[in-house]
Amino acid sequence: MSILSMSSTRPQHQIELEQITQLAVMLSAQLTRVHIDGIAPAIADALQRVAAVTRVEMCECIEFSESGTMAHAHGATRSANADDARPQTRSSDGWLVTRLARGELVAIARPEEFPREALEHGGQTGSILGVPASIGGRVVSALVMDGGRSARRWQQPLIERLQLISEILGASLQRLRQETALRCSLAEIERLNTRLEADNVYLKEEIQSYHDFDDIVGESTALRLALARLAQVAPTNSSVLLTGPTGTGKELFARALHERSRRHARPLVRVNCAALPPTLVESELFGHEKGAFTGAVGMRQGRFELADGGSIFLDEIGDLPLDIQVKFLRVLQEGEFERVGSSRSKKVDVRVIAATHHNLEQAVAEGRFRADLYYRLSVYPIHLPSLRERVDDIPRLVWFFIHRHQRDLGRQITRVPQSLMDSLQRYAWPGNVRELENIVERAMIASDGDTLQLDAPLALGPRGRAHVEASDNLDAIQRAHIESVLERCGWRINGAGNSAERLGIHPNTLRFRMKKLGVVCPDSRGRRRSSPGELSV
């Protein structure tokens, strides 16, 4: 918008004042309507117009931060008659910026009026006008004009109108600052909301599974050794590899590790690598962008992104495909990954807790598992003992599971026969603690009174049979074989289909060997017979 020319018969200063007044009205309307992204260019254009109307060599707007320091200097396009040898900014004059930041008006008409601190930094020539703008008692900006080498007296009416323009520019800069801060806040809120929604989705899935640190029950030496190692590594950020047979409570150990770590305020994200379809493993672990593949109707965060700042539990890590192992290794080494369909890397801070029932060393030797990934995961291995290694814990576990399921099953079990407890302690437990819980729950369903009763005999033979698989002791092998035959024959030594006949020995010889090897059997009344001679005939 051009400024209307005034009649040449009027005084020049009067024409200049009216032009500045019209410019102020125009800038007020323009800068109020301009979009936030166009404020900076609009201010540069306004400064150029002010310089043209007032016939000054340089015009700029200094923006101050909340602490009072100069945040930015907005400049105008140089006028055509500007001297190339002169600096095009006054924002480098520390004395001037300091005074304007204090809210002081600076009006210098000739070189003799420059303060001493200005002269200490070199010769000063010409005239300067600095008009600060305050909003809410704080200086937000200042309009600075350089009259060039010639002297110029800044009249009060001109200063008053330039004060108005300075405040208009200051209000626009304040709006720009507030809108920018609001955008940043909204972006942060959106990011936190997205993360919160993702956490809520995961936690809703996890809330169905009951878990508690007190679920680790037992006082056996093997279990206490594993718990001691857990207590040592839990406060650190080191990767942990949990090994042991299936059903030994690896997830409980992973939760205990997380709860005792410095990351306990963030979630523990669980991933069952064996349950993930091969085509979706990468998407589940690292997430995907919208349209990355058929069915990807929106962006989705992966499990590593959900676990940022917390821990991730990778169950059955031995079943992870080789091509995913490479990308997983990069996350461990550099903390970086890319979502499926994206080329932009994302950084995460995640503690990895892995678990497997496979022999990973053997898998490495056979080429089914990467050696470098194995050494990254097994920084601190913890072996979880099987239930066969902690037989003394079985009574505690039985009562623990009874108390856990009584309310849901509507039972009030107060007694467990010693014969039943002995049977449980002699059982092989291929399914370990998980199998024990299932058998106890099944027995509670079958028990009508206050006494726990098995719904069916334990079918897989005594605990001794599992022990002799790797034993070279002859007595242990004989005992396991005799117990196996006795169970199949209903513990009959004499009569049709008796044990002695199947073993090909005399019944008295069988009784002698049972006594020598300590083979005993519980009777139907729930007490253990101490002599093989009391067995059925």
Side-chain angles (χ1 to χ4, degrees):
M1 177 177 178
S2 61
I3 305 300
L4 300 176
S5 60
M6 309 302 294
S7 173
S8 60
T9 59
R10 304 176 63 187
Q12 182 61 38
H13 73 275
Q14 187 68 31
I15 297 174
E16 184 181 73
L17 292 177
E18 291 184 5
Q19 288 178 336
I20 295 177
T21 302
Q22 292 183 19
L23 180 60
V25 174
M26 180 196 69
L27 292 178
S28 178
Q30 178 184 357
L31 293 175
T32 301
R33 297 191 304 266
V34 71
H35 188 267
I36 179 176
D37 296 328
I39 288 180
I43 288 179
D45 181 69
L47 293 173
Q48 182 182 3
R49 294 174 182 270
V50 172
V53 171
T54 56
R55 304 185 311 279
V56 295
E57 182 175 308
M58 185 277 299
C59 183
E60 64 179 335
C61 182
I62 299 176
E63 181 180 358
F64 295 103
S65 65
E66 294 186 359
S67 61
T69 60
M70 186 181 70
H72 187 69
H74 301 265
T77 305
R78 293 186 60 183
S79 59
N81 59 350
D83 187 354
D84 292 338
R86 286 184 56 80
Q88 291 302 302
T89 177
R90 284 286 183 177
S91 58
S92 59
D93 292 343
W95 67 272
L96 177 62
V97 173
T98 301
R99 290 196 173 192
L100 293 175
R102 294 199 298 258
E104 298 179 12
L105 175 71
V106 178
I108 297 177
R110 54 184 183 272
E112 294 80 8
E113 297 180 4
F114 277 96
R116 178 179 300 175
E117 60 264 31
L119 298 176
E120 290 176 354
H121 296 283
Q124 298 284 351
T125 60
S127 56
I128 295 177
L129 178 64
V131 185
S134 300
I135 297 179
R138 185 179 68 82
V139 178
V140 296
S141 65
L143 179 65
V144 179
M145 308 175 70
D146 190 337
R149 296 183 180 278
S150 59
R152 175 171 181 173
R153 183 164 299 279
W154 307 98
Q155 301 294 333
Q156 186 61 31
L158 176 63
I159 294 177
E160 293 175 355
R161 285 161 177 76
L162 292 176
Q163 178 73 51
L164 178 60
I165 292 179
S166 178
E167 292 175 355
I168 293 173
L169 297 179
S172 299
L173 290 173
Q174 182 73 353
R175 181 165 73 92
L176 174 62
R177 180 179 300 173
Q178 292 175 346
E179 289 285 346
T180 302
L182 180 60
R183 283 186 175 185
C184 293
S185 298
L186 290 175
E188 179 66 11
I189 291 173
E190 182 67 23
R191 186 187 70 82
L192 293 175
N193 281 338
T194 301
R195 183 169 185 173
L196 181 61
E197 289 175 3
D199 288 349
N200 285 339
V201 169
Y202 176 76
L203 292 174
K204 286 178 181 177
E205 295 173 355
E206 287 291 292
I207 199 68
Q208 299 176 359
S209 61
Y210 179 86
H211 53 80
D212 195 306
F213 177 72
D214 293 335
D215 285 359
I216 302 178
V217 177
E219 294 293 335
S220 63
T221 303
L223 181 63
R224 291 170 67 178
L225 176 61
L227 290 175
R229 290 179 62 81
L230 182 151
Q232 285 180 329
V233 74
T236 71
N237 287 324
S238 300
S239 299
V240 178
L241 178 62
L242 303 175
T243 62
T246 182
T248 51
K250 290 187 280 292
E251 184 173 349
L252 292 179
F253 267 71
R255 294 189 184 282
L257 278 167
H258 178 71
E259 290 299 325
R260 292 190 173 190
S261 72
R262 297 190 295 264
R263 300 169 178 264
H264 64 273
R266 293 289 301 148
L268 170 69
V269 177
R270 185 178 65 87
V271 181
N272 189 337
C273 300
L276 295 177
T279 56
L280 296 179
V281 173
E282 187 175 2
S283 173
E284 285 290 329
L285 291 178
F286 308 121
H288 62 253
E289 298 290 346
K290 181 179 180 180
F293 50 84
T294 303
V297 296
M299 185 276 290
R300 180 180 179 182
Q301 291 181 318
R303 298 304 176 97
F304 271 96
E305 202 166 346
L306 288 173
D308 188 17
S311 306
I312 188 168
F313 174 50
L314 297 169
D315 199 6
E316 301 302 342
I317 189 68
D319 296 319
L320 204 63
L322 280 170
D323 56 337
I324 303 299
Q325 292 179 25
V326 179
K327 298 183 179 181
F328 182 57
L329 181 64
R330 182 187 173 199
V331 178
L332 288 179
Q333 290 177 334
E334 305 173 13
E336 291 185 352
F337 66 92
E338 289 93 26
R339 291 177 183 160
V340 177
S342 173
S343 59
R344 187 174 62 180
S345 296
K346 296 186 71 67
K347 290 189 71 68
V348 290
D349 176 23
V350 176
R351 183 189 191 177
V352 176
I353 304 172
T356 183
H357 70 279
H358 295 294
N359 187 337
L360 291 187
E361 292 184 352
Q362 181 180 348
V364 169
E366 295 174 356
R368 294 182 288 107
F369 202 84
R370 292 181 61 93
D372 46 5
L373 178 57
Y374 169 70
Y375 293 121
R376 282 281 180 179
L377 290 173
S378 60
V379 174
Y380 196 89
I382 299 178
H383 175 73
L384 276 61
S386 66
L387 194 53
R388 294 191 303 270
E389 300 175 71
R390 40 184 298 217
V391 178
D392 294 341
D393 289 335
I394 290 180
R396 290 187 180 88
L397 288 166
V398 169
W399 281 110
F400 175 80
F401 293 136
I402 289 174
H403 293 314
R404 166 180 282 188
H405 296 295
Q406 280 200 131
R407 177 176 295 180
D408 293 339
L409 298 177
R411 296 291 189 268
Q412 190 63 37
I413 304 297
T414 60
R415 178 174 175 270
V416 178
Q418 185 60 42
S419 60
L420 189 151
M421 196 69 77
D422 292 340
S423 297
L424 295 177
Q425 288 185 288
R426 295 169 59 241
Y427 184 61
W429 297 115
N432 292 290
V433 180
R434 186 180 297 123
E435 183 184 8
L436 174 61
E437 181 176 9
N438 292 340
I439 286 180
V440 171
E441 184 176 359
R442 192 160 61 242
M444 293 178 68
I445 296 173
S447 302
D448 295 329
D450 61 354
T451 301
L452 187 70
Q453 297 177 350
L454 293 178
D455 67 324
L458 299 177
L460 294 183
R463 177 174 57 90
R465 184 185 308 172
H467 279 299
V468 301
E469 291 178 357
S471 175
D472 294 329
N473 185 275
L474 181 59
D475 288 345
I477 296 174
Q478 285 185 349
R479 171 176 174 154
H481 182 60
I482 290 174
E483 286 181 337
S484 175
V485 173
L486 284 168
E487 282 196 349
R488 290 199 300 270
C489 296
W491 292 86
R492 290 190 301 274
I493 296 179
N494 294 329
N498 64 76
S499 304
E501 184 179 294
R502 289 197 179 188
L503 290 170
I505 58 177
H506 192 275
N508 289 336
T509 303
L510 175 57
R511 290 188 181 94
F512 173 78
R513 292 190 179 180
M514 289 175 63
K515 184 175 182 180
K516 176 183 177 182
L517 298 172
V519 176
V520 292
C521 170
D523 63 9
S524 59
R525 292 188 297 277
R527 60 183 178 83
R528 184 180 299 279
R529 288 180 172 160
S530 59
S531 172
E534 299 178 14
L535 295 174
S536 60
V537 295

